């Protein structure tokens, strides 16, 4: 098997899996309980929070554990707007980029139903937010802006610090939320009011994420109940998931440069190999400029999902990007926003890598792709 779909999810690091198991089988207590093993567990959770906070360059008290990136994004959007004084609620502008993940896009569409003036900020042909367009859309009544750090389909990296300054200079009341699910640990931390991360994109198990909420930023809790996470997110703490998340983050931090170089080498090798085929187009930033772990390429004259299925039969796992739009011709919201349409959109495949991949796998994958593309092009409509 060659697994090139690491933006969808990653294999759990063995050390992280062992940690999760230890906290499931031995230290299985409810950290909110009063007896000593539970109190010790609570301390372990605090140190895990410290690890995440260190990587986000913030205080541990600004990190709230959630169940996933989707929950972090939903909490940020709904929670920030629900915390507005009642006379402002349901009014004013909300901006999101045109290429946000559905876990930002769908809440934004719900906010539109609730009365907010929701606008999409255009991106360039690589998937990067246009700073000028953002500036022109900011109004004094803009309440919230949500822009992703790294785009999950094209690998485009937004200059969040620059966008933060534009927002604060032109709409001082607006909060900036950043979906950092594809960027956390891979890109330097940025200035913002809220930042979402997810464990399973980084070799932790599924079921754990976090949201950074800067001091003084008001966000209404989404889950009410026993008051866990300082009242921000009720629900019995997912201690095994959180401890495994911290373990995976520590591993990544200890090998950051090595992992980055290995991932980038695989991406470069695959792109070099694929560039030898005819009618191949790169969707997204130039190879050295985007995120190291994401490569989006169109094979002209081939339907992406047909190629995906053929490769899957051979044990090579990739993605056509937006799963929800995979079956509708010309309906990839993200590629549309990048101006990538028609044949080029139909033929798009996203490859995403982890440090478990090798350049040898890239060569093998390229060979399989060449065979399948040549075969499928024989049936090309003329
Ligand atoms: N945001 C981005 C950019 C993503 O790529 C994903 C997952 O693919 C999510 C959010 C959702 O994260 P999760 O799967 O943890 O809910």
């Amino acid at each position: 098997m060659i697994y090139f779909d690491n933006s969808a999810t990653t294999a759990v690091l063995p050390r992280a899996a062992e940690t999760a198991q230890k906290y499931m089988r031995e230290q299985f207590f409810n950290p909110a309980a009063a007896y000593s093993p539970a109190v010790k567990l609570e301390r372990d959770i605090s140190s895990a929070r410290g690890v995440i906070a260190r990587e986000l360059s913030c205080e541990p008290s600004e990190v709230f554990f959630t169940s996933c990136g989707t929950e972090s994004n939903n909490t940020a959007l709904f929670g920030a707007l629900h915390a507005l004084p009642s006379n402002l609620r349901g009014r004013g502008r909300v901006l999101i980029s045109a290429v946000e993940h559905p876990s930002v896009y769908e809440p934004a569409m719900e906010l539109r139903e609730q009365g907010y003036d929701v606008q999409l900020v255009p991106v360039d042909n690589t998937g990067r937010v246009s700073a000028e367009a953002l500036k022109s859309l900011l109004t004094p009544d803009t309440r919230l802006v949500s822009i992703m750090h790294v785009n999950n389909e094209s690998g485009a990296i937004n200059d969040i610090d620059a966008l933060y300054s534009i927002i604060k200079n032109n709409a001082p009341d607006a909060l900036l939320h950043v979906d950092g699910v594809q960027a956390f640990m891979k890109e330097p931390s940025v200035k913002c009011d809220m930042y979402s991360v997810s464990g399973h994109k980084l070799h932790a198990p599924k079921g754990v994420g976090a949201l950074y909420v800067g001091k003084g930023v008001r966000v209404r809790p989404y889950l009410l109940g026993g008051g866990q996470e300082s009242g921000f997110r009720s629900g019995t703490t997912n201690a095994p998931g959180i401890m495994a998340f911290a373990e995976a983050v520590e591993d990544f931090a200890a090998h950051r440069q090595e992992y980055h170089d290995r991932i980038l080498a695989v991406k470069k090798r695959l792109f070099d190999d694929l560039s030898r085929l005819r009618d191949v187009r790169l969707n997204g930033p130039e190879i050295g400029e985007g995120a190291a772990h994401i490569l989006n390429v169109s094979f002209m004259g081939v339907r992406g999902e047909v190629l995906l299925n053929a490769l899957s039969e051979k044990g090579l796992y990739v993605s056509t990007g937006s799963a929800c739009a995979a079956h509708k011709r010309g309906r990839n919201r993200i590629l549309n926003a990048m101006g990538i349409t028609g044949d080029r959109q139909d033929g798009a495949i996203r490859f995403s890598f982890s440090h478990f991949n090798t350049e040898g796998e890239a060569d093998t994958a390229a060979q399989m792709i060449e065979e399948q593309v040549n075969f499928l092009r024989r049936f090309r409509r003329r």
Side-chain angles (χ1 to χ4, degrees), residues 168-184:
K168 297 294 167 178
N169 289 335
N170 293 278
D173 292 339
L175 294 173
L176 172 60
H177 164 253
V178 175
D179 176 351
V181 166
Q182 296 292 346
F184 181 52

Side-chain angles (χ1 to χ4, degrees), residues 126-154:
T126 72
R128 237 169 100 101
V129 166
S130 149
E132 297 73 42
L134 171 64
K135 193 170 170 186
S136 72
L137 284 166
L138 287 166
T139 50
D141 72 345
T142 301
R143 307 280 167 233
L144 179 72
V145 180
S146 183
I147 292 177
M148 67 207 318
H149 194 172
V150 166
N151 182 267
N152 52 300
E153 294 206 21
S154 74

Side-chain angles (χ1 to χ4, degrees), residues 45-46 48-54 56-65 211-217 229-232:
I45 303 275
S46 293
R49 198 184 305 281
V51 169
I52 309 299
R54 184 192 71 212
L56 288 169
S57 310
C58 70
E59 297 293 321
S61 60
E62 296 171 310
V63 174
F64 300 94
F65 287 113
L211 178 65
Y212 155 77
V213 181
K215 245 184 216 98
V217 175
E229 294 296 300
S230 313
F232 184 78

Side-chain angles (χ1 to χ4, degrees), residues 7 68-70 73 101 103 148 152 179 181-182 198 200-201:
S7 285
C68 58
T70 297
N73 286 341
H101 186 266
S103 56
M148 67 207 318
N152 52 300
D179 176 351
V181 166
Q182 296 292 346
S198 173
H200 74 101
K201 310 288 185 182

